[in-house]
Short mmCIF file of all heavy atoms in Angstrom, two decimals:
data_model
loop_
_atom_site.label_atom_id
_atom_site.label_comp_id
_atom_site.label_asym_id
_atom_site.label_seq_id
_atom_site.Cartn_x
_atom_site.Cartn_y
_atom_site.Cartn_z
N THR A 463 92.09 76.21 95.80
CA THR A 463 91.78 75.03 95.16
C THR A 463 90.69 74.19 95.84
O THR A 463 89.89 73.46 95.36
CB THR A 463 92.95 74.12 94.90
OG1 THR A 463 93.66 73.79 96.07
CG2 THR A 463 93.88 74.80 93.87
N LEU A 464 90.74 74.25 97.21
CA LEU A 464 89.71 73.67 98.02
C LEU A 464 88.39 74.19 97.79
O LEU A 464 87.41 73.40 97.63
CB LEU A 464 90.06 73.72 99.43
CG LEU A 464 88.95 73.28 100.43
CD1 LEU A 464 88.79 71.81 100.44
CD2 LEU A 464 89.24 73.78 101.82
N THR A 465 88.20 75.46 97.53
CA THR A 465 86.98 76.13 97.32
C THR A 465 86.53 76.22 95.85
O THR A 465 85.43 76.55 95.62
CB THR A 465 86.93 77.44 98.04
OG1 THR A 465 87.89 78.29 97.43
CG2 THR A 465 87.10 77.32 99.44
N ALA A 466 87.44 75.94 94.90
CA ALA A 466 87.21 76.22 93.58
C ALA A 466 86.92 75.08 92.73
O ALA A 466 86.60 75.08 91.59
CB ALA A 466 88.38 76.95 92.89
N GLY A 467 86.80 73.85 93.34
CA GLY A 467 86.34 72.67 92.60
C GLY A 467 87.35 71.42 92.83
O GLY A 467 86.86 70.27 92.47
N TRP A 468 88.47 71.67 93.35
CA TRP A 468 89.40 70.44 93.50
C TRP A 468 89.01 69.60 94.70
O TRP A 468 89.32 68.44 94.75
CB TRP A 468 90.84 70.91 93.66
CG TRP A 468 91.52 71.26 92.29
CD1 TRP A 468 92.16 70.45 91.45
CD2 TRP A 468 91.48 72.46 91.56
NE1 TRP A 468 92.71 71.14 90.43
CE2 TRP A 468 92.14 72.42 90.48
CE3 TRP A 468 90.82 73.71 91.93
CZ2 TRP A 468 92.28 73.40 89.59
CZ3 TRP A 468 91.00 74.73 90.97
CH2 TRP A 468 91.77 74.55 89.81
N GLY A 469 88.36 70.21 95.73
CA GLY A 469 87.85 69.53 96.83
C GLY A 469 88.87 69.25 97.94
O GLY A 469 90.05 69.71 97.78
N THR A 470 88.48 68.32 98.85
CA THR A 470 89.45 68.09 100.02
C THR A 470 90.65 67.31 99.62
O THR A 470 91.56 67.14 100.36
CB THR A 470 88.64 67.37 101.03
OG1 THR A 470 88.20 66.20 100.35
CG2 THR A 470 87.55 68.11 101.56
N GLU A 471 90.76 66.81 98.34
CA GLU A 471 91.79 65.97 97.93
C GLU A 471 93.17 66.80 98.02
O GLU A 471 94.25 66.28 98.21
CB GLU A 471 91.64 65.51 96.43
CG GLU A 471 92.64 64.62 96.07
CD GLU A 471 92.29 64.09 94.61
OE1 GLU A 471 91.86 64.93 93.79
OE2 GLU A 471 92.55 62.86 94.27
N VAL A 472 93.04 68.14 97.85
CA VAL A 472 94.30 68.94 97.96
C VAL A 472 94.93 68.91 99.31
O VAL A 472 96.11 69.19 99.38
CB VAL A 472 93.92 70.39 97.50
CG1 VAL A 472 93.47 70.45 96.09
CG2 VAL A 472 92.92 71.11 98.48
N PHE A 473 94.13 68.52 100.35
CA PHE A 473 94.69 68.31 101.66
C PHE A 473 94.94 66.91 102.06
O PHE A 473 95.84 66.65 102.84
CB PHE A 473 93.81 69.01 102.80
CG PHE A 473 93.76 70.45 102.68
CD1 PHE A 473 92.90 71.24 102.05
CD2 PHE A 473 94.79 71.11 103.47
CE1 PHE A 473 92.95 72.68 102.08
CE2 PHE A 473 94.78 72.57 103.56
CZ PHE A 473 93.93 73.32 102.85
N THR A 474 94.27 65.99 101.55
CA THR A 474 94.43 64.59 101.97
C THR A 474 95.34 63.77 101.02
O THR A 474 95.89 62.75 101.45
CB THR A 474 93.04 63.88 101.82
OG1 THR A 474 92.58 63.91 100.50
CG2 THR A 474 91.94 64.58 102.80
N CYS A 475 95.79 64.47 99.92
CA CYS A 475 96.65 63.61 98.92
C CYS A 475 98.02 63.42 99.58
O CYS A 475 98.47 64.23 100.44
CB CYS A 475 96.69 64.40 97.63
SG CYS A 475 97.56 65.99 97.76
N TYR A 476 98.66 62.43 99.04
CA TYR A 476 100.10 62.18 99.58
C TYR A 476 100.11 61.98 101.10
O TYR A 476 101.05 62.53 101.72
CB TYR A 476 101.10 63.18 98.99
CG TYR A 476 101.11 63.17 97.53
CD1 TYR A 476 100.46 64.24 96.87
CD2 TYR A 476 101.80 62.22 96.80
CE1 TYR A 476 100.53 64.42 95.46
CE2 TYR A 476 101.83 62.30 95.46
CZ TYR A 476 101.21 63.31 94.73
OH TYR A 476 101.30 63.42 93.40
N ASN A 477 99.16 61.29 101.64
CA ASN A 477 99.15 61.09 103.04
C ASN A 477 99.17 62.40 103.95
O ASN A 477 99.88 62.42 104.76
CB ASN A 477 100.25 60.12 103.45
CG ASN A 477 100.10 59.51 104.75
OD1 ASN A 477 98.91 59.40 105.29
ND2 ASN A 477 101.16 58.98 105.57
#
Side-chain angles (χ1 to χ4, degrees):
T463 53
L464 172 68
T465 58
W468 281 264
T470 57
E471 190 178 38
V472 299
F473 283 95
T474 61
C475 66
Y476 298 104
N477 197 23

